Amino acid sequence: MYNHIMIRYGEIALKGKNQKDFLNRLIHNIKEQIKTDLDFNPTIEKEMGRLYLLLDGRAPEEFYDSLNHIFGITSYSPARKTGLELEDIKATALEELHGAMASMGLTNCKFRVTVKRAEKKFPITSPEMQQIIAAHMLKNTPGLKADLHNYDVDLLLEIRPEGTFIYTRSFEGLRGLPVGSSGRGVVLLSGGIDSPVAGWLAMKRGVTVEAVHFHSYPYTSEQAKEKVLELAKRMAKYSNRVIVHMVPFTKIQEEIAHYCHDNMRIPIMRRIMVRIAEEIARQRDCLAIFTGDNLGQVASQTMASLVATNEVCELPVYRPLIGFDKQEIVDISLKIDTYDISTQPYEDCCTTFVAKHPVTKPNLNVIKHSELKLAEKIDEMIEEAVRTVEV
Ligand code: ATP
Ligand code: MG
């Protein structure tokens, strides 16, 4: 019977002195995710370069979905752990081989054995051990043939101080860094395709992400808000939870529409959004703002427009999608399961007030001139928006 899942982590093994923190964060995240998904508190053991999730009588498959959503795991394998006695190892290896053949529906099977001996005190060398195990498998399995290159089953044995781990299958993890290991950031979350992907990429590099959404209720619908909450929920599958800050933006947009020239609305709106986001970020100890912008996609995403947005903000504004093509973004959004929500039709606040001919190269002086009419009110409006955020 499987009693462990062996979890490998790659990048975080390289972190030298910080490794302990990274690893503890990874363990914490695995436990939290499993607790949320399965309402079960798993035991996770930490050994040189590996984590072991103890199955406690459960089937390994129950855990795959959780493990597939955790950054920092490079791969994992359901494994049978036994001791360092040769007879036990032989018997357990046979069980694993037969189990693999049964699950693949094979009666005739080509296999190979790979032994890794991390416990150098173990008296038999790896090549000798491979021969002993292979011979035992062949003797006890009709229809079995050894083939080093063209095999159906790779039977792996890792002989380690804490025991021998025997497995035949490995699944890819998400890689990246455990969420929380890089600090905190806010993501500007619209209802579109791009920003959830940008938030996900921030998470992938270890950022705990909080979402900031600007809504223009009643110009935009209640469903538009629900949509953003649902997107945040899908994103939370990768970080256990995502806090959403819902910023009332209607009054500000009305003021912009009233005072500012039509084709300057979008750049001005972006600048105010970023200022509000920066204020929220500071209150929440966040060190960066992430957006779903990618270069040249629309008028507000030209280099000149991005300069205008960045100018009002001291915190760095990161745009993880800057070099992506739309299809590449769509592919990720499908993979992370946000696409079907993002493509629901509810209006975004930008589309409600959008100009017919937005400028592609807004001149900073022109924007500032246009903003002058708002100047008296703008600080107060930002302060009020931040004060009335719904969390
Ligand atoms: P998305 O698919 O993320 O909506 P987009 O290609 O539609 O992006 P824009 O609408 O120009 O591009 O928005 C650019 C970025 O500005 C978004 O990715 C998002 O980070 C931010 N943004 C736009 N509208 C909002 C909003 N209502 N609330 C929060 N952030 C927003
Ligand atoms: Mg959009």
Side-chain angles (χ1 to χ4, degrees):
M1 220 179 44
Y2 287 114
N3 42 24
H4 286 63
I5 295 178
M6 176 187 270
I7 299 173
R8 303 174 193 85
Y9 47 89
E11 194 159 5
I12 56 178
L14 306 172
K15 291 287 174 187
K17 244 170 53 193
N18 293 334
Q19 198 207 39
K20 206 168 130 238
D21 295 340
F22 281 81
L23 211 47
N24 287 339
R25 173 65 66 171
L26 179 60
I27 293 170
H28 172 84
N29 291 356
I30 296 171
K31 286 186 169 174
E32 287 287 302
Q33 193 69 47
I34 289 172
K35 176 93 181 90
T36 304
D37 293 345
L38 303 175
D39 195 23
F40 165 70
N41 286 311
T43 304
I44 293 174
E45 289 175 351
K46 186 164 60 167
E47 298 291 346
M48 278 289 291
R50 292 273 193 276
L51 297 178
Y52 300 110
L53 170 63
L54 272 53
L55 292 177
D56 238 345
R58 291 171 177 248
E61 293 81 7
E62 288 183 44
F63 298 92
Y64 295 172
D65 186 55
S66 304
L67 297 177
N68 288 342
H69 287 86
I70 295 169
F71 289 114
I73 295 176
T74 48
S75 67
Y76 61 91
S77 300
R80 297 170 205 260
K81 181 186 181 187
T82 182
L84 297 172
E85 291 295 322
L86 183 58
E87 288 313 308
D88 292 340
I89 297 173
K90 280 158 79 175
T92 310
L94 195 62
E95 243 180 74
E96 175 63 10
L97 175 72
H98 289 178
M101 285 173 63
S103 72
M104 294 164 81
L106 297 173
T107 40
N108 292 312
C109 174
K110 287 186 245 170
F111 85 120
R112 75 170 190 183
V113 179
T114 307
V115 173
K116 293 178 198 164
R117 192 177 57 132
E119 170 57 307
K120 297 301 174 198
K121 287 190 205 130
F122 189 75
I124 306 167
T125 65
S126 298
E128 285 169 339
M129 195 62 186
Q130 271 160 210
Q131 297 210 333
I132 294 170
I133 296 296
H136 186 69
M137 299 302 111
L138 288 163
K139 198 173 104 194
N140 291 286
T141 316
L144 188 67
K145 262 173 63 181
D147 192 326
L148 282 184
H149 304 290
N150 219 341
Y151 48 85
D152 307 304
V153 175
D154 190 11
L155 181 61
L156 290 114
L157 284 77
E158 292 193 19
I159 302 169
R160 302 170 61 91
E162 65 271 17
T164 304
F165 293 84
I166 300 172
Y167 58 93
T168 48
R169 282 176 302 166
S170 290
F171 301 102
E172 287 273 311
L174 282 179
R175 300 178 181 271
L177 301 173
V179 169
S181 63
S182 297
R184 310 166 59 77
V186 298
V187 59
L188 299 193
L189 190 63
S190 67
I193 294 172
D194 302 342
S195 45
V197 175
W200 184 81
L201 288 170
M203 289 174 178
K204 184 176 181 195
R205 298 313 300 168
V207 179
T208 300
V209 160
E210 299 197 7
V212 175
H213 176 71
F214 299 89
H215 68 84
S216 308
Y217 187 77
Y219 296 98
T220 54
S221 62
E222 195 60 41
Q223 283 111 310
K225 271 178 160 182
E226 290 300 321
K227 177 180 173 180
V228 167
L229 289 179
E230 185 56 34
L231 280 175
K233 212 185 262 178
R234 301 279 173 107
M235 290 166 71
K237 186 79 190 154
Y238 294 89
S239 73
N240 208 27
R241 71 174 190 161
V242 171
I243 292 173
V244 183
H245 303 267
M246 287 281 184
V247 184
F249 207 52
T250 317
K251 235 165 103 181
I252 293 176
Q253 282 199 311
E254 285 171 346
E255 296 285 339
I256 297 173
H258 186 252
Y259 286 106
C260 305
H261 190 275
D262 192 52
N263 62 10
M264 284 295 149
R265 281 180 192 172
I266 293 272
I268 291 172
M269 201 173 78
R270 285 270 183 272
R271 282 159 67 90
I272 297 178
M273 278 184 176
V274 166
R275 286 180 62 180
I276 293 172
E278 182 170 38
E279 189 51 43
I280 294 172
R282 290 198 192 285
Q283 290 179 4
R284 302 289 306 163
D285 287 329
C286 294
L287 291 181
I289 296 171
F290 292 83
T291 78
D293 293 307
N294 60 93
L295 204 55
Q297 195 187 76
V298 289
S300 59
Q301 298 178 12
T302 62
M303 296 231 274
S305 298
L306 300 183
V307 166
T309 312
N310 282 13
E311 199 244 354
V312 292
C313 181
E314 273 175 29
L315 283 181
V317 182
Y318 294 130
R319 301 179 169 95
L321 302 177
I322 201 75
F324 283 49
D325 286 333
K326 193 71 191 184
Q327 190 56 46
E328 292 168 321
I329 301 169
V330 166
D331 289 346
I332 298 178
S333 92
L334 285 167
K335 175 173 129 179
I336 67 175
D337 203 23
T338 52
Y339 184 80
D340 60 325
I341 307 294
S342 292
T343 47
Q344 286 173 4
Y346 310 111
E347 296 262 286
D348 183 25
C349 70
C350 308
T351 33
T352 313
F353 288 85
V354 77
K356 284 193 200 75
H357 304 291
V359 282
T360 53
K361 291 193 183 135
N363 177 305
L364 212 46
N365 291 329
V366 179
I367 292 179
K368 283 182 175 168
H369 181 75
S370 196
E371 275 178 352
L372 271 183
K373 295 167 196 151
L374 283 177
E376 282 167 25
K377 302 185 170 180
I378 206 163
D379 291 342
E380 197 186 309
M381 289 188 317
I382 288 174
E383 197 257 320
E384 190 191 340
V386 172
R387 195 159 27 81
T388 52
V389 161
E390 263 180 282
V391 179

